């Protein structure tokens, strides 16, 4: 155990020389009366990952972390205090009208040549990191039947086709009882369509439909074409069964076996690292997220981009307060304007529900030392590294270029994961401070802990411990390279992540901002 006892050496992390608060590193926190090596003496007991101020902060004075103002003191805060949420007034969100657009674009990094992984090439040019039989659905009415069939496929058919990794039902709650022509209905519809095209499903999925539902199979299978093509060999409609449930199961099993035979013939081949499409997100964050795990992801992201890959970051409510740091990094003014467009759409979406981005932080985030969404955002965007931002995707849109992409999604773990799968991600990385067993069925999920204590408590759920950065046992650069190599090994199937090992899968959770009927 490499935990740091507070009795030995009280430790803190200062992130930016402009900061007037530091974060306590010791696993048990530090008691009142602790003297740090910079002479600051704590006047409160301060838990791990919480903030202590280095100077007296007057009422109304800024509290600064990451070199940015995360709040204003509601009353004078004497030096050495535990600086927590109830002492702070949150700043207003930055205005979207006067942002720096593409004003500070980072240069391209030196190309990284020669890195590869073993993947499955698809007919559409994408590459899968897994070889999965996907069975998509147009409507929730078919879920029970399909789950029954999938259980039998997994038990009876899958063992006969050892080159196929899994069978996954893409079940969801959309498809009928919805206002299908409402303004925002394109989001769930294109998400269902693009999920079926995920590279890990071999570029095509079976489609199971009921028959009478609003979302017709044609809309799922072909963009902009609602007419159902009954001759499509990969489509089955339950209402076409003339002999009840058992015929439905037999039909689905037969289709699945035809497809399994095809998938089983596929073999991994060596492909350049540029074929990786990595989706990044965080969940159950704490004040260490922005110090350890997210900077390590940022470093690895810069490496992947130098190798020509596609890297996506997301979570609108967790970038909103730091948007001025992203619009300036956009490769072109158009990309910057697309970022602003997505922020503006989300502001209006939240306003409809009389909410704003402050609804994001959870009790666990606060317990983990994150006072508000401003502090959380500044730690969240560190995942995006230091490269130029090359593109923006709307929710459910499919990525069609390489580079660093902002994929606009809610921050909700399952919704973000689902939308990144629809965007075409073939590998997912997830940082967590509080801990979550989150996993996805369609892509491997690499779990990175922000603290060593969590990695020790959950050794069979956490793949990489970034807490080593806080305790000085590894640098951000070390962890960045470790992640980079781990990504390639997992992509190649040489390593399995823990959630894959145990098949821990969250449901596909569609983002549907449109009305249901
Ligand atoms: Ca999240």
């Amino acid at each position: 155990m490499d935990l740091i006892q507070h009795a030995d050496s009280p430790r803190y992390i200062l992130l930016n020389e402009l900061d007037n608060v530091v974060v306590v590193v010791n696993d048990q926190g530090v008691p009142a009366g602790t003297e740090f090596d910079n002479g600051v003496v704590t006047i409160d007991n301060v838990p791990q990952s919480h903030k202590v101020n280095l100077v007296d902060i007057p009422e109304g004075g800024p509290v600064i972390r990451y070199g940015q103002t995360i709040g204003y003191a509601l009353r004078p805060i004497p030096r050495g205090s535990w600086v927590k949420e109830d002492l702070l007034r949150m700043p207003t969100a930055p205005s979207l009208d006067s942002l720096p657009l593409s004003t500070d674009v980072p240069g391209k990094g030196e190309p990284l040549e020669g890195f590869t992984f073993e993947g499955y090439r698809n007919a559409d040019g994408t590459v899968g990191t897994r070889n999965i039989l996907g069975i998509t659905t147009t409507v929730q009415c078919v879920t029970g039947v399909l789950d029954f069939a999938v259980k039998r496929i997994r038990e009876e058919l899958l063992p006969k086709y050892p080159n196929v990794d899994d069978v996954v039902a893409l079940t969801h709650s959309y498809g009928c009882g919805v206002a299908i022509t409402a303004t925002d209905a394109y989001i769930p519809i294109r998400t269902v369509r693009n999920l079926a095209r995920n590279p890990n499903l071999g570029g095509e999925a079976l489609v199971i439909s009921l028959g009478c539902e609003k979302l017709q199979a044609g809309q799922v299978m072909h963009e902009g074409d609602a007419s159902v093509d009954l001759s499509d060999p990969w489509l089955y409609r339950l209402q076409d069964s003339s002999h009840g449930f058992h015929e439905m199961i037999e039909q689905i099993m037969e289709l699945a076996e035809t497809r399994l035979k095809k998938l089983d013939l596929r073999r991994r081949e060596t492909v350049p690292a540029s074929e990786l499409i990595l989706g990044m997100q965080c969940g159950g964050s704490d004040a260490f997220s922005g110090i350890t795990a997210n900077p390590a992801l940022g470093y690895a992201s810069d490496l992947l981009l130098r190798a020509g890959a596609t890297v996506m970051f997301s979570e609108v409510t967790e970038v909103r307060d730091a948007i001025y740091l992203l619009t300036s990094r956009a490769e072109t003014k158009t990309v910057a304007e697309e970022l602003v467009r997505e922020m503006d759409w989300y502001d209006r979406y939240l306003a409809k529900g009389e909410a704003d981005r402050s609804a994001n932080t959870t009790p666990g985030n606060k317990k983990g030392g994150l006072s508000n969404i401003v502090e959380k955002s500044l730690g969240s965007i560190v995942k995006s590294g230091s490269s130029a931002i090359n593109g923006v995707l709307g929710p459910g849109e499919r990525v069609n270029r390489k580079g660093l992409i902002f994929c606009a999604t809610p921050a909700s773990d399952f919704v973000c994961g689902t939308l990144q799968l629809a965007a075409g991600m073939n590998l997912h990385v997830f940082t967590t401070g509080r801990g979550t067993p989150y996993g996805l069925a369609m892509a491997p999920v690499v779990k990175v802990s922000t603290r060593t204590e969590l990695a020790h408590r959950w050794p069979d759920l956490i793949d990489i411990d970034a807490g080593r950065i806080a305790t000085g046992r590894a640098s951000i650069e070390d962890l960045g390279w470790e992640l980079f190599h781990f990504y390639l090994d997992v992509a190649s199937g040489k390593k399995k992540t823990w959630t894959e090992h145990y098949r821990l899968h969250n449901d596909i959770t569609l983002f549907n901002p449109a009305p249901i009927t």
Side-chain angles (χ1 to χ4, degrees):
M1 213 52 155
D2 295 314
L3 302 186
I4 296 176
Q5 304 304 319
H6 59 72
D8 314 338
S9 58
R11 291 218 207 174
Y12 61 87
I13 285 186
L14 175 73
L15 276 180
N16 187 298
E17 58 189 24
L18 297 172
D19 293 359
N20 57 11
V21 291
V22 293
V23 171
V24 170
V25 172
N26 302 65
D27 291 288
Q28 293 84 3
V30 294
T34 301
E35 184 173 358
F36 290 111
D37 62 6
N38 61 2
V40 172
V41 178
T42 55
I43 52 180
D44 300 306
N45 297 327
V46 187
Q48 184 193 37
S49 71
H50 282 254
K51 296 178 286 296
V52 177
N53 52 330
L54 301 173
V55 293
D56 292 329
I57 302 175
E59 184 177 333
V63 174
I64 300 170
R65 197 183 158 197
Y66 300 104
Q68 311 288 330
T69 299
I70 62 164
Y72 298 95
L74 287 170
R75 58 175 174 75
I77 310 176
R79 166 174 136 127
S81 300
W82 176 12
V83 180
K84 51 185 170 173
E85 185 197 4
D86 56 9
L87 297 177
L88 303 182
R89 177 173 62 78
M90 191 164 85
T92 51
S95 158
L96 295 178
D97 297 330
S98 50
L99 291 168
L101 305 179
S102 192
T103 48
D104 194 13
V105 188
K108 269 195 174 14
E110 189 74 19
L112 269 184
E113 315 267 7
F115 289 96
T116 60
F117 70 97
E118 304 296 308
Y120 294 97
R121 272 219 182 271
N122 297 318
D124 67 359
T126 62
V127 170
T129 62
R130 295 294 179 267
N131 189 24
I132 295 171
L133 168 61
I135 309 182
T136 193
T137 59
T138 52
V139 66
Q140 189 168 26
C141 308
V142 306
T143 299
V145 171
L146 184 56
D147 285 348
F148 189 97
V150 163
K151 188 166 179 285
R152 280 192 54 190
I153 294 165
R154 187 170 290 127
E155 285 167 6
E156 297 168 33
L157 300 182
L158 205 55
K160 296 198 294 186
Y161 303 99
N163 290 319
V164 183
D165 291 304
D166 204 356
V167 50
V168 173
L170 281 65
T171 53
H172 56 79
S173 58
Y174 198 71
C176 213
V178 292
I180 202 117
T181 55
T183 316
D184 294 324
Y186 68 93
I187 292 177
I189 295 172
R190 76 178 172 195
T191 305
V192 173
R193 180 166 56 235
N194 286 333
L195 279 171
R197 299 166 71 198
N198 183 279
N200 290 350
L201 309 182
E204 52 182 344
L206 298 178
V207 181
I208 305 301
S209 150
L210 179 63
C212 62
E213 64 272 33
K214 282 229 175 122
L215 181 62
Q216 286 289 300
Q219 280 170 285
V220 174
M221 300 165 85
H222 319 283
E223 187 165 1
D225 179 9
S227 63
V228 182
D229 179 5
L230 286 174
S231 64
D232 193 299
W234 303 122
L235 167 67
Y236 177 63
R237 303 196 309 179
L238 300 191
Q239 285 171 350
D240 290 343
S241 166
S242 40
H243 294 93
F245 173 68
H246 286 282
E247 185 182 298
M248 296 174 191
I249 299 299
E250 291 313 315
Q251 287 288 334
I252 296 172
M253 301 266 297
E254 198 181 305
L255 270 178
E257 183 143 29
T258 313
R259 187 92 182 93
L260 281 169
K261 279 180 185 154
K262 233 180 124 183
L263 289 171
D264 197 52
L265 297 174
R266 309 176 80 214
R267 294 292 180 273
R268 287 185 185 273
E269 56 185 276
T270 305
V271 297
S274 58
E275 298 295 353
L276 213 56
I277 304 178
L278 179 75
M280 307 186 288
Q281 73 154 320
C282 49
S285 297
D286 66 7
F288 273 27
S289 299
I291 302 173
T292 60
N294 291 349
L297 258 64
Y299 194 94
S301 161
D302 287 339
L303 294 177
L304 281 174
L305 292 164
R306 286 169 55 196
T310 306
V311 181
M312 299 186 288
F313 68 112
S314 289
E315 304 176 287
V316 173
T317 48
E318 291 176 14
V319 308
R320 176 66 181 86
D321 281 276
I323 189 63
Y324 56 97
L325 300 173
L326 298 177
T327 49
S328 56
R329 272 169 62 194
E331 186 182 27
T332 63
K333 210 167 158 244
T334 308
V335 171
E337 284 163 353
E338 285 169 357
L339 277 168
V340 174
R341 177 196 71 200
E342 293 301 331
M343 298 301 118
D344 178 55
W345 185 93
Y346 217 91
D347 279 359
R348 286 183 285 114
Y349 165 70
L350 287 172
K352 266 190 252 171
E354 298 182 2
D356 64 24
R357 86 284 190 215
S358 68
N360 173 297
T361 31
T362 65
N365 291 153
K366 289 173 183 174
K367 201 169 172 224
L370 290 173
S371 296
N372 57 35
I373 186 62
V374 181
E375 184 176 15
K376 189 172 170 180
S377 298
L378 290 164
S380 173
I381 65 158
V382 182
K383 290 198 283 300
S384 68
S386 59
S387 306
I389 298 166
N390 308 110
V392 176
L393 293 177
E397 240 179 326
R398 194 170 196 239
V399 71
N400 61 4
R401 59 156 301 157
K402 298 196 184 292
L404 180 61
I405 309 292
F406 179 70
C407 172
T409 77
S412 158
D413 298 348
F414 348 100
V415 181
C416 172
T418 298
L419 291 169
Q420 289 188 342
L421 285 169
M425 104 176 138
N426 52 20
L427 183 71
H428 196 42
V429 62
F430 190 101
T431 67
T432 184
R434 309 297 300 166
T436 164
Y438 166 89
L440 296 171
M442 284 168 55
V445 177
V446 176
K447 252 354 186 324
V448 183
S449 75
T450 69
R451 293 172 303 120
T452 297
E453 188 268 346
L454 174 64
H456 280 296
R457 274 194 295 124
W458 289 13
D460 49 4
L461 286 169
I462 298 297
D463 298 294
I464 303 268
D465 168 27
R468 287 175 283 157
I469 293 169
T471 48
R473 280 167 294 139
S475 64
I476 288 170
E477 185 182 344
D478 295 338
L479 250 291
W481 275 104
E482 187 177 325
L483 274 167
F484 177 77
H485 289 294
F486 193 76
Y487 292 155
L488 295 176
D489 284 348
V490 171
S492 300
K494 287 179 192 154
K495 284 187 179 147
K496 270 192 171 184
T497 66
W498 284 114
T499 51
E500 234 183 341
H501 178 78
Y502 295 116
R503 301 191 79 259
L504 303 180
H505 299 156
N506 286 97
D507 291 338
I508 284 173
T509 312
L510 297 179
F511 180 37
N512 179 22
I516 60 172
T517 58

